[in-house]
Amino acid sequence: MALKIVKGSIDRMFDKNLQDLVRGIRNHKEDEAKYISTCIDEIKQELKQDNIAVKSNAVCKLTYLQMLGYDVSWAAFNIVEVMSSSKFTYKRIGYLAASQCFHESTDVIMLTTNQIRKDLSSPNQYDTGVALTGLSCFVTPDLARDLANDIMTLMSHTKPYIRKKAVLIMYKVFLKYPESLRPAFPRMKEKLEDPDPGVQSAAVNVICELARRNPKNYLSLAPLFFKLMTSSTNNWVLIKIIKLFGALTPLEPRLGKKLIEPLTNLIHSRILLCLSSVAVLISLSSGMPNHSASIQVMKYLGLLAMSKILKTHPKSVQSHKDLILQCLDDKDESIRLRALDLLYGMVSKKNLMEIVKKLMLHVDKAEGTTYRDELLTKIIDICSQSNYQYITNFEWYISILVELTRLEGTRHGHLIASQMLDVAIRVKAIRAFAVAQMATLLDNAHLLTGNTQHNGICEVLYAAAWICGEFSEHLEDPMATLEAMLRPKVATLPGHIQAVYVQNAAKLFSTVLRGQEGAPADSKVAQETSQLLIDRLPVFVQSANLEVQERASCILQLVKYIQKLQQKDVEVAEEVTALFAGELNPVAPKAQKKVPVPEGLDLDAWINEPPSGSESEDEGRKTKTKGKAVFAKEESRHTKPRYTEVDEKELAKRREVRKAEQANNPFYIKASPSSQKVYQEAVGVEHIPVVQIDLSVPLKVPGMPMSDQYVKQEEERREKNKADRKKKDKKKRREKGRQRRGDSGPESEEDITPAHMVDIVTEEMPETALYTIPCLFPSQKSSKHKKKKQKKEEKDKKKKKHQHHHHHSDGAGDESVQNGTVEEEEPLPVSKQSPFILSTQSNPCPLDIQVCDIQGNLHDGSQVVVSVIFENKCDSFIKSMEFNVMDSLNSKLQRPEGAGPHDSLTVPFQLPPGISNEARFIFSMQSIVMPQKLKGTLTFIVKVSWSCSPQSTHIPHYPNQIEVYLSRVPNTTGVDLTIKCLLTGSNQQYLLLRHPCNICPLCMCPCPSQADQTVSIDAKCDEPGLLGNVLDEIKLTFSQC
Amino acid sequence: MARVETCGSRLLRRLRFPIDQSIMIKAILIFNNHGKPRLSKFYEHYNEDTEQQIIRETFHLVSKRDENVCNFLEGGMLIGGSENRLIYRHYATLYFVFCVDSSESELGILDLIQVFVETLDKCFENVCELDLIFHVDKVHNILAEMVMGGMVLETNMNEIIIQVDAQNKMEKSETFIFQSPRQDR
């Protein structure tokens, strides 16, 4: 009876093998999960049996369930049991299951070590084979270490089947246990010459893969590989070897010459040939309506190869531009994506518009959002690469961006938005246009937001609102835009956009007010505007978003207050505008690097002492003993050089990376000069395609610009330029009577002049740097202002309460020289040794004078305000100070009306002992390019308590500049140092020169290291005269110190 | 302090060494026109859920492509994105997809898929989807003779068939006490 039950249950279980399970699952389509869970229960029962056949059957089913996504790791131990069966059938099932579900963190793996070792040495080659196959999937570092020797023995097994597998698995072992590489390598090398082609190919496979990571170590194998390559007929082996040679050749030119040169030439010619044949293929196939898949494959591979060649031989690929553009029309997305990748490297100023226009057509046609988004990012990438290098017309670019906003459901709204902001901020000339476009966008905001909440494109409104607000002076109808921004529907936008809306509504409000108050009759209108804000803002005050709420309530209160004032007929526009005065400037990404580390801040120091480590303790102690000040000083001296070092290191690193990339690229072949030349010559003017402009494309949103029109404009402009140039050429030709075809033929990139300039700010100093004082010159046409001034002052002293006159004792007379710099900041030399040299008399000067600031005048670009600090250093009262600077050709001290050209200015204060005060003097300048020196006099009366007869002894005084010296050597020679602020103290080591309109024509960063007496200065300037003068000054200054 | 850091990064580099080194074939997937997996072999470890997601994603990517387009596309998010390529072939109701890294030759893999299918055809005698459904273990065994641990082991079809047959013969020679092999379809 009992036997019967047992037998019955066994039967039942045996009914369900893998096929039954699969069939059962297929029959239970509705409740598959439930069925499988009962099966798993059965499997658990089966696993508890002692019979290995039952267990292996269960494990086999588990393997299947694992593929369906069920976790079977709970059966890991049973799998190990089945693996250790002596029967090949079960063993194979066990190893298969293990290879499917074991991984490095499976803990039972360590139980398998001995079993695997036993299997590896089994007399049955298939036992060994199965163990090797399984091991290749779940080898761990421990297993690799323990079994490396056994596997190495197997590499010389009599059966090629085993040898092959053993060789291949060694790669895995090397990865997990790199120490095994050294002892195993000689044997691996032997296997390259194994009589069995399978083993040989496995060895090639492994060594190529190793060499790909680190080609240098495998150079010695090159002859062997060369032999293999000529003898082998196996395609796999050939592909691998050729890839390997691709990695080896750049490393060893000698070898390359000897052995590989014929080969390289062969491959090289083949690649070029291949390139053109691929091009032919692509053109052929795109002409045929029904191309077969194999041609598609070729096309794909061709494009892939081109993208690799593009990195090294851009010219040769560029000549196939038309074909690549055709590939964009391909119906296969993979091919289109590849072609897009290629486009990035092919744009130039000439063809950018054309290419982008083509892409825009595709954007319209593209059906899948993924591909469309890809297109969108590519368009923006292409246009914005290298600081908008290829864009000649920014109005066109803005229009493109605006057109892109019409894409529904794109994820890249923020990308478009950031581009809009970037362009509007950096390209000044475009602002008016951009603002007009953005206003239209805001007006049509409902088109963008559509119905979907998470529509990415509404990000664009963020940019639009900000641009309209920030540059509201360019708005034609600020009132309309203000209204558009305060529509109730705005409250449905995401919070961060609303916040920008609210803030910029306030900016707009100030602009509107100013406009309205300008006309006196409109005070009513102004009040209505305030009322509008008061009506609309409460919606935002109730916003759930904290940022919106906060800004809205703040502005609401402000507007209420303004309204109150307005009702009293107070003009408020000026004050409201002042809220948003000033200009935001772009900051270069590297700007942070230029901010010096503040004194006393040690970025490398631990905030909390590390728990242990004798070295760091030592260092810490040193620091302590030296004292903080000393340490800080040292720090500041070292920081600068370190920056440059980092740069060099970075460069070197990048170079390395690039080399490595080329080295790893099997398709990279060194250029032979001849082939390149051929392609260069091919790019002549004849090859520039003439684009037909299709203007029939209808406008989609009324009032929105069509980017196409710019394409046409651009063409015209270019035509004109070309025509002009041709005329000139002709003339020249006639004059010279020579053929000048060579030079005038191709239209070079440089000839295309951009319509707008971009501010390239990569080198610009950050606005936030402590020591910079932003120059506020309103840009006057394109003139640059520089000012540097020098003033000299003279002082006099008298012991008695007398008044002294100062003369310029310098023979140079009054001709002042101004050093041209755009702006200078000068750190004040606070040292006791003031830059002023006082008199030569033994008596110290009672008055210390320093120029502390030179600024452009906000209201008038030709004016410079010089601030001078007067400090009384004696014990007496100083009064009646009069300041005078002789006018020069270039500069003039501004005097009150009615004063003669030589009258002095009275300093409007008196100085009690020990007190300092600041006075400002205004100079008007003619030119800022030339260095200038100013000389001046200062007279004052010192009240001395002891009585004495007034002596009017005249003491000659040296005119001294206020400039800072390079060193603290008192400047008694009368040398005029006109560069300000070249390092005096330990931390005043900057010379900052900036342009009035923030374009930064000049930017310097001296890195003086006092230790080795060398100073390097990097300067950048778009005004050669200025740069030359400044550099001369610097040189002079340094040579004298 | 600086030295401690260097030390740490060196250690890190050594730790990372094996991870950097990738294997060439990441995964081999077979699924039908509806995305039902018929075989999945991952040569890098993922947990079961991720594996299923990868299969679904791959199916999604591959199935929406026309016939007559090329056989390559970039991998999905889950399996390495643009680092990897999916190389696939579509036979009747089944998709054979190999996910490989850039070190493998595309044409080579395409050829390998062809060899794989021809081998299956020889071993099952006119292979069809049902063979793969019911004998996934056999398919695994055949695959194991071609690709091992993500590396191509053998591309010669005859050699593969010899080894597979020899193993099957061995399996048959081992007597079964309780179980007789069934031929199910």
Side-chain angles (χ1 to χ4, degrees):
Chain A
M1 189 62 191
L3 193 68
K4 225 178 188 179
I5 292 166
V6 171
K7 197 170 179 294
S9 76
I10 288 175
D11 280 341
R12 182 171 55 82
M13 284 169 193
F14 276 76
D15 266 342
K16 203 173 263 176
N17 60 12
L18 176 60
Q19 283 75 31
D20 297 318
L21 174 73
V22 174
R23 195 173 296 120
I25 292 174
R26 286 162 70 83
N27 290 337
H28 291 78
K29 285 222 164 79
E30 296 79 28
D31 52 349
E32 194 180 293
K34 198 174 148 211
Y35 178 74
I36 290 178
S37 72
T38 58
C39 288
I40 289 182
D41 289 341
E42 281 171 25
I43 290 170
K44 282 181 179 164
Q45 288 302 315
E46 289 170 21
L47 288 176
K48 280 180 191 154
Q49 308 253 335
D50 283 335
N51 190 321
I52 192 73
V54 181
K55 266 187 195 165
S56 73
N57 186 38
V59 166
C60 186
K61 288 190 278 183
L62 280 179
T63 313
Y64 182 78
L65 293 178
Q66 194 270 345
M67 184 184 82
L68 297 183
Y70 291 86
D71 178 23
V72 298
S73 53
W74 48 269
F77 186 74
N78 303 102
I79 293 174
V80 176
E81 280 181 314
V82 176
M83 275 163 73
S84 54
S85 155
S86 57
K87 288 244 165 41
F88 173 72
T89 319
Y90 305 144
K91 195 186 286 296
R92 186 156 78 164
I93 290 171
Y95 273 105
L96 175 62
S99 74
Q100 289 291 83
C101 55
F102 282 9
H103 50 92
E104 279 197 17
S105 51
T106 308
D107 42 8
V108 293
I109 279 191
M110 52 188 189
L111 301 178
T112 61
T113 314
N114 278 324
Q115 179 58 40
I116 294 174
R117 184 173 284 150
K118 209 175 103 195
D119 288 336
L120 288 183
S121 51
S122 153
N124 184 336
Q125 61 162 329
Y126 292 113
D127 280 352
T128 315
V130 138
L132 285 173
T133 309
L135 186 61
S136 74
C137 288
F138 56 79
V139 60
T140 63
D142 285 343
L143 279 179
R145 192 191 57 229
D146 295 343
L147 297 173
N149 264 328
D150 302 75
I151 298 172
M152 224 140 72
T153 326
L154 289 180
M155 282 167 75
S156 341
H157 199 270
T158 48
K159 294 271 187 351
Y161 177 73
I162 300 299
R163 287 207 301 271
K164 186 168 71 179
K165 289 196 168 193
V167 166
L168 214 48
I169 204 177
M170 275 319 273
Y171 178 65
K172 287 280 185 152
V173 174
F174 295 153
L175 293 189
K176 301 288 178 189
Y177 180 59
E179 285 81 353
S180 63
L181 181 55
R182 197 167 288 276
F185 192 69
R187 196 168 284 182
M188 183 65 77
K189 207 169 127 188
E190 278 170 27
K191 293 300 135 195
L192 283 176
E193 293 174 294
D194 196 279
D196 184 84
V199 181
Q200 212 178 48
S201 117
V204 170
N205 209 340
V206 170
I207 290 187
C208 287
E209 206 54 37
L210 290 172
R212 200 163 65 97
R213 320 280 179 189
N214 187 5
K216 223 179 262 167
N217 299 350
Y218 300 89
L219 269 179
S220 59
L221 295 179
L224 201 57
F225 276 118
F226 189 70
K227 210 175 87 193
L228 263 181
M229 187 175 66
T230 47
S231 60
S232 174
T233 52
N234 186 328
N235 280 335
W236 278 97
V237 175
L238 281 178
I239 291 173
K240 289 280 172 190
I241 294 180
I242 290 174
K243 282 197 173 187
L244 176 71
F245 276 137
L248 289 184
T249 24
L251 287 173
E252 181 51 82
R254 198 163 40 92
L255 191 88
K257 244 179 236 157
K258 222 174 170 186
L259 264 168
I260 308 174
E261 196 183 274
L263 175 79
T264 337
N265 285 341
L266 188 71
I267 300 174
H268 193 191
S269 60
R270 268 190 201 161
I271 284 193
L272 287 182
L273 191 72
C274 175
L275 188 63
S276 32
S277 58
V278 164
V280 170
L281 248 177
I282 294 170
S283 60
L284 264 183
S285 57
S286 52
M288 295 188 298
N290 293 324
H291 29 234
S292 66
S294 69
I295 286 185
Q296 291 290 64
V297 168
M298 286 309 295
K299 229 174 172 178
Y300 180 88
L301 293 176
L303 290 170
L304 201 62
M306 276 185 176
S307 71
K308 290 191 171 156
I309 296 170
L310 182 70
K311 286 177 202 147
T312 53
H313 303 76
K315 284 262 156 61
S316 47
V317 177
Q318 270 161 12
S319 58
H320 296 296
K321 190 193 82 198
D322 290 349
L323 281 173
I324 292 165
L325 281 176
Q326 274 179 32
C327 285
L328 283 178
D329 295 325
D330 201 283
K331 60 179 174 168
D332 187 343
E333 194 172 305
S334 293
I335 289 180
R336 289 195 305 243
L337 285 175
R338 288 279 84 75
L340 268 183
D341 282 350
L342 281 174
L343 275 186
Y344 182 81
M346 292 195 333
V347 286
S348 65
K349 284 182 181 171
K350 271 177 292 179
N351 60 19
L352 177 73
M353 284 190 172
E354 175 201 344
I355 287 179
V356 171
K357 180 175 167 256
K358 186 121 201 205
L359 291 179
M360 291 297 289
L361 286 181
H362 284 282
V363 171
D364 289 340
K365 280 190 284 180
E367 63 285 358
T369 40
T370 346
Y371 177 60
R372 216 174 45 180
D373 281 356
E374 186 67 24
L375 271 172
L376 194 154
T377 35
K378 268 283 147 27
I379 290 177
I380 289 179
D381 274 358
I382 287 174
C383 291
S384 62
Q385 64 176 314
S386 359
N387 269 318
Y388 308 101
Q389 184 190 349
Y390 297 117
I391 294 188
T392 51
N393 187 337
F394 279 93
E395 288 192 17
W396 165 80
Y397 186 46
I398 292 272
S399 324
I400 287 286
L401 290 176
V402 171
E403 277 177 41
L404 286 176
T405 61
R406 289 184 220 141
L407 291 185
E408 267 173 40
T410 177
R411 297 181 280 120
H412 293 298
H414 61 275
L415 197 61
I416 303 178
S418 68
Q419 284 292 304
M420 285 174 169
L421 289 174
D422 201 33
V423 171
I425 294 170
R426 286 169 62 179
V427 189
K428 284 206 165 70
I430 200 69
R431 285 181 189 164
F433 179 80
V435 166
Q437 290 302 310
M438 296 303 122
T440 324
L441 266 188
L442 283 180
D443 206 34
N444 296 317
H446 55 281
L447 293 179
L448 296 180
T449 49
N451 33 14
T452 42
Q453 253 304 310
H454 39 261
N455 192 341
I457 204 69
C458 60
E459 288 289 330
V460 172
L461 295 176
Y462 178 95
W466 188 85
I467 291 173
C468 282
E470 185 64 22
F471 307 118
S472 50
E473 68 270 17
H474 296 296
L475 272 178
E476 271 182 19
D477 186 0
M479 193 60 209
T481 310
L482 181 61
E483 255 177 327
M485 278 168 72
L486 291 171
R487 282 177 198 150
K489 200 155 185 225
V490 172
T492 60
L493 290 173
H496 64 285
I497 299 180
Q498 282 185 54
V500 171
Y501 263 72
V502 171
Q503 185 72 13
N504 286 287
K507 289 185 200 165
L508 268 179
F509 175 61
S510 75
T511 316
V512 171
L513 271 191
R514 203 170 37 181
Q516 287 170 344
E517 281 188 3
D522 284 356
S523 68
K524 263 268 164 61
V525 186
Q527 285 191 32
E528 276 165 21
T529 315
S530 311
Q531 192 55 45
L532 175 77
L533 256 78
I534 292 172
D535 290 344
R536 299 280 176 85
L537 280 175
V539 183
F540 299 103
V541 176
Q542 292 158 10
S543 169
N545 187 302
L546 285 182
E547 176 95 6
V548 181
Q549 201 185 65
E550 194 169 46
R551 287 182 194 226
S553 48
C554 190
I555 289 167
L556 183 61
Q557 290 313 313
L558 186 71
V559 175
K560 279 183 181 162
Y561 179 68
I562 290 170
Q563 201 189 27
K564 233 181 260 172
L565 288 178
Q566 282 174 334
Q567 281 158 2
K568 291 179 199 157
D569 276 340
V570 183
E571 297 237 327
V572 287
E574 274 306 316
E575 284 159 45
V576 178
T577 316
L579 282 176
F580 306 106
E583 196 176 342
L584 290 178
N585 286 308
V587 175
K590 285 189 207 152
Q592 179 68 39
K593 208 164 64 175
K594 304 210 167 155
V595 181
V597 179
E599 201 172 347
L601 173 63
D602 181 5
L603 291 176
D604 293 330
W606 292 93
I607 294 174
N608 295 314
E609 280 298 310
S612 68
S614 53
E615 295 150 40
S616 56
E617 247 171 35
D618 277 353
E619 241 171 274
R621 209 175 303 142
K622 226 186 282 165
T623 317
K624 263 176 227 157
T625 50
K626 268 186 172 177
K628 202 183 171 196
V630 179
F631 186 72
K633 194 173 174 188
E634 218 176 38
E635 224 358 78
S636 68
R637 205 193 307 149
H638 288 315
T639 38
K640 253 97 262 174
R642 206 199 287 158
Y643 286 147
T644 49
E645 255 173 40
V646 167
D647 274 357
E648 276 163 19
K649 258 188 224 159
E650 255 177 28
L651 278 182
K653 215 195 279 166
R654 264 180 236 157
R655 224 173 286 137
E656 291 272 288
V657 169
R658 197 180 57 228
K659 265 188 205 155
E661 205 175 23
Q662 286 171 350
N664 286 338
N665 183 348
F667 294 103
Y668 173 70
I669 287 139
K670 284 197 173 169
S672 79
S674 61
S675 64
Q676 241 179 344
K677 226 184 254 165
V678 171
Y679 277 99
Q680 269 165 356
E681 279 164 11
V683 193
V685 78
E686 296 82 3
H687 295 257
I688 300 168
V690 177
V691 189
Q692 298 285 330
I693 309 297
D694 181 8
L695 285 178
S696 64
V697 191
L699 282 176
K700 287 191 181 155
V701 177
M704 289 213 176
M706 280 302 296
S707 54
D708 286 347
Q709 80 197 54
Y710 296 104
V711 181
K712 196 178 179 200
Q713 272 177 17
E714 183 67 17
E715 288 292 322
E716 281 166 359
R717 196 163 68 91
R718 224 172 269 168
E719 278 301 310
K720 218 173 107 198
N721 284 355
K722 225 198 261 176
D724 287 354
R725 210 169 335 114
K726 256 186 206 154
K727 247 184 248 162
K728 266 184 226 158
D729 283 349
K730 249 184 219 163
K731 239 185 247 168
K732 270 188 216 158
R733 222 177 286 162
R734 225 177 290 140
E735 280 164 18
K736 290 192 182 174
R738 267 191 219 158
Q739 270 208 340
R740 299 179 37 94
R741 190 176 256 184
D743 324 12
S744 63
E747 190 177 347
S748 73
E749 286 283 286
E750 290 74 28
D751 292 339
I752 302 176
T753 48
H756 306 285
M757 296 300 296
V758 201
D759 292 0
I760 308 284
V761 289
T762 31
E763 292 297 325
E764 196 173 345
M765 298 295 176
E767 292 284 289
T768 49
L770 281 179
Y771 41 84
T772 71
I773 298 158
C775 180
L776 295 173
F777 287 100
S779 63
Q780 264 198 341
K781 302 282 160 83
S782 63
S783 83
K784 330 247 149 88
H785 298 241
K786 349 224 63 217
K787 32 262 268 335
K788 211 16 143 21
K789 308 341 284 250
Q790 280 239 164
K791 330 215 40 243
K792 344 309 200 3
E793 334 251 297
E794 318 195 342
K795 357 257 161 80
D796 262 6
K797 327 138 160 202
K798 268 287 190 101
K799 287 95 232 206
K800 312 275 163 104
K801 47 170 191 172
H802 269 85
Q803 154 199 65
H804 320 285
H805 260 298
H806 318 306
H807 292 262
H808 322 287
S809 60
D810 208 283
D814 306 335
E815 187 68 7
S816 328
V817 187
Q818 290 229 333
N819 182 3
T821 18
V822 183
E823 168 172 28
E824 4 252 340
E825 341 285 338
E826 14 181 2
L828 304 181
V830 197
S831 58
K832 287 279 165 54
Q833 285 147 311
S834 88
F836 280 23
I837 308 280
L838 307 179
S839 98
T840 45
Q841 301 290 316
S842 54
N843 288 316
C845 176
L847 194 54
D848 188 359
I849 304 172
Q850 299 172 349
V851 170
C852 68
D853 184 16
I854 298 182
Q855 271 197 0
N857 191 313
L858 185 57
H859 303 296
D860 184 345
S862 62
Q863 284 192 343
V864 174
V865 179
V866 178
S867 310
V868 182
I869 291 180
F870 298 85
E871 185 182 6
N872 186 351
K873 298 175 74 182
C874 66
D875 296 325
S876 315
F877 203 83
I878 296 181
K879 64 175 190 179
S880 300
M881 288 183 282
E882 284 183 15
F883 183 83
N884 193 11
V885 172
M886 300 302 276
D887 291 346
S888 72
L889 285 178
N890 212 351
S891 66
K892 235 186 219 172
L893 178 62
Q894 296 237 318
R895 297 177 171 86
E897 276 180 24
H902 301 295
D903 291 349
S904 307
L905 284 179
T906 310
V907 178
F909 48 75
Q910 301 184 330
L911 287 177
I915 298 297
S916 63
N917 204 342
E918 181 185 332
R920 296 187 171 189
F921 303 95
I922 300 171
F923 291 81
S924 51
M925 321 285 306
Q926 298 291 321
S927 159
I928 54 165
V929 180
M930 293 301 297
Q932 306 206 339
K933 293 175 200 168
L934 295 181
K935 297 183 182 180
T937 56
L938 180 74
T939 62
F940 54 88
I941 296 174
V942 181
K943 261 190 188 167
V944 182
S945 49
W946 74 81
S947 65
C948 226
S949 61
Q951 283 189 352
S952 60
T953 336
H954 237 73
I955 300 168
H957 299 285
Y958 286 101
N960 284 299
Q961 297 89 291
I962 299 202
E963 289 4 348
V964 178
Y965 304 149
L966 259 188
S967 63
R968 295 182 184 176
V969 184
N971 187 350
T972 51
T973 54
V975 176
D976 290 328
L977 284 186
T978 45
I979 301 290
K980 334 196 114 191
C981 85
L982 278 175
L983 43 126
T984 29
S986 56
N987 57 348
Q988 293 165 348
Q989 303 184 337
Y990 274 99
L991 170 63
L992 281 190
L993 308 164
R994 295 183 61 237
H995 187 266
C997 52
N998 303 316
I999 295 184
C1000 188
L1002 184 60
C1003 176
M1004 298 201 176
C1005 182
C1007 308
S1009 70
Q1010 292 166 358
D1012 56 8
Q1013 299 290 316
T1014 59
V1015 173
S1016 72
I1017 291 179
D1018 295 326
K1020 240 184 143 179
C1021 181
D1022 59 4
E1023 173 83 46
L1026 168 63
L1027 188 59
N1029 283 330
V1030 172
L1031 288 176
D1032 286 346
E1033 285 293 332
I1034 294 174
K1035 238 182 258 170
L1036 188 68
T1037 309
F1038 275 89
S1039 65
Q1040 282 167 349
C1041 69
Chain B
M1 285 168 267
R3 205 168 315 159
V4 175
E5 262 177 70
T6 330
C7 226
S9 66
R10 203 177 303 141
L11 189 69
L12 204 67
R13 210 175 311 142
R14 195 180 304 161
L15 281 179
R16 226 186 290 141
F17 172 73
I19 303 167
D20 277 350
Q21 318 260 318
S22 51
I23 37 171
M24 311 126 207
I25 300 177
K26 313 277 177 191
I28 296 172
L29 307 173
I30 304 177
F31 42 74
N32 70 3
N33 287 346
H34 307 290
K36 282 247 185 272
R38 293 303 175 216
L39 175 130
S40 67
K41 182 87 197 166
F42 289 89
Y43 293 102
E44 280 180 346
H45 176 69
Y46 299 94
N47 66 31
E48 276 76 14
D49 285 343
T50 322
E51 286 183 3
Q52 292 304 309
Q53 280 171 24
I54 290 175
I55 293 172
R56 273 196 296 274
E57 190 185 28
T58 312
F59 169 70
H60 185 70
L61 286 172
V62 167
S63 63
K64 67 178 182 195
R65 294 171 62 83
D66 295 338
E67 299 294 314
N68 288 340
V69 297
C70 74
N71 305 50
F72 317 117
L73 69 161
E74 272 167 22
M77 292 301 181
L78 293 170
I79 200 152
S82 50
E83 296 285 300
N84 293 330
R85 298 227 156 73
L86 298 178
I87 296 167
Y88 74 98
R89 276 192 168 205
H90 190 195
Y91 292 93
T93 58
L94 290 176
Y95 285 99
F96 288 71
V97 185
F98 278 49
C99 179
V100 303
D101 75 1
S102 55
S103 73
E104 285 296 346
S105 147
E106 285 85 355
L107 282 180
I109 295 290
L110 217 50
D111 189 49
L112 190 68
I113 298 178
Q114 183 65 28
V115 172
F116 184 32
V117 174
E118 281 179 28
T119 314
L120 287 177
D121 199 47
K122 283 257 169 68
C123 293
F124 285 106
E125 288 163 15
N126 275 327
V127 69
C128 71
E129 193 183 342
L130 284 176
D131 292 317
L132 271 70
I133 296 173
F134 286 105
H135 299 284
V136 69
D137 50 342
K138 287 186 185 165
V139 182
H140 269 298
N141 293 338
I142 294 169
L143 189 60
E145 296 303 318
M146 297 178 66
V147 179
M148 192 174 112
M151 289 170 289
V152 179
L153 177 68
E154 182 59 71
T155 52
N156 184 338
M157 184 167 66
N158 293 331
E159 180 69 23
I160 298 167
I161 290 174
I162 290 170
Q163 302 300 344
V164 171
D165 283 349
Q167 291 178 46
N168 288 343
K169 217 174 279 168
M170 216 173 102
E171 193 176 288
K172 268 180 204 152
S173 70
E174 292 178 344
T175 48
F176 290 81
I177 304 164
F178 296 109
Q179 202 178 359
S180 63
R182 299 185 182 199
Q183 286 301 315
D184 288 292
R185 268 279 160 112

